[in-house]
Amino acid sequence: MSETTLRTAPQSEAVELARRLSARTMRTWSLLDREEQVTAIVAELVANAVRHAGTVLELRLQRRPDAVRVEVRDRASTMPKMTVPAPLDESHWGLFIVDRFASSWGATPVTGGKVVWAEVAI
């Protein structure tokens, strides 16, 4: 199993840093056919952590034998809730997009916050 992590402050620049890291990691792992899915999931989960948690966050990407696992840990205890946005809504698309691109996803409370995770089958 291979792994990469990024720790960052809750700033809008964190989303772009995370996107670039995930794209580079997917290329390093020779998983170009999953790069778009993983990068979109990373961007949405990091953006949600920046917007809703507002705490230091950690992104972790793991290559497993059958999937890429994306984890975003923050220090907020509020668990995420997926909503189904109306077609013209300009917000509330984050977890809807994650749900469409991931083979599975969820959130786990941990001491001092939570981990929101998603897996993309390979």
Side-chain angles (χ1 to χ4, degrees):
M1 176 171 64
S2 297
E3 180 175 305
T4 189
T5 61
L6 170 71
R7 288 180 189 89
T8 184
Q11 301 171 336
S12 58
E13 295 85 10
V15 177
E16 185 55 33
L17 285 171
R19 285 180 62 85
R20 280 190 266 144
L21 176 66
S22 65
R24 187 171 54 247
T25 300
M26 295 305 288
R27 291 181 196 127
T28 299
W29 291 344
S30 299
L31 294 172
L32 294 174
D33 59 330
R34 296 293 185 252
E35 180 181 340
E36 183 178 347
Q37 291 169 281
V38 170
T39 304
I41 290 168
V42 164
E44 296 301 334
L45 293 183
V46 170
N48 281 353
V50 168
R51 185 177 306 116
H52 299 294
T55 69
V56 171
L57 61 102
E58 180 178 289
L59 165 68
R60 184 164 80 169
L61 299 170
Q62 291 180 323
R63 181 179 181 171
R64 296 178 171 189
D66 59 347
V68 172
R69 184 174 174 98
V70 176
E71 295 181 349
V72 176
R73 180 181 181 139
D74 62 52
R75 295 182 183 159
S77 60
T78 306
M79 299 302 278
K81 294 180 188 173
M82 186 177 81
T83 59
V84 179
L88 298 178
D89 281 354
E90 293 185 14
S91 59
H92 305 293
W93 285 94
L95 290 178
F96 185 79
I97 290 169
V98 170
D99 188 64
R100 294 297 176 248
F101 283 148
S103 42
S104 61
W105 73 273
T108 306
V110 295
T111 301
K114 68 178 170 301
V115 174
V116 183
W117 59 270
E119 292 187 349
V120 175
I122 54 175

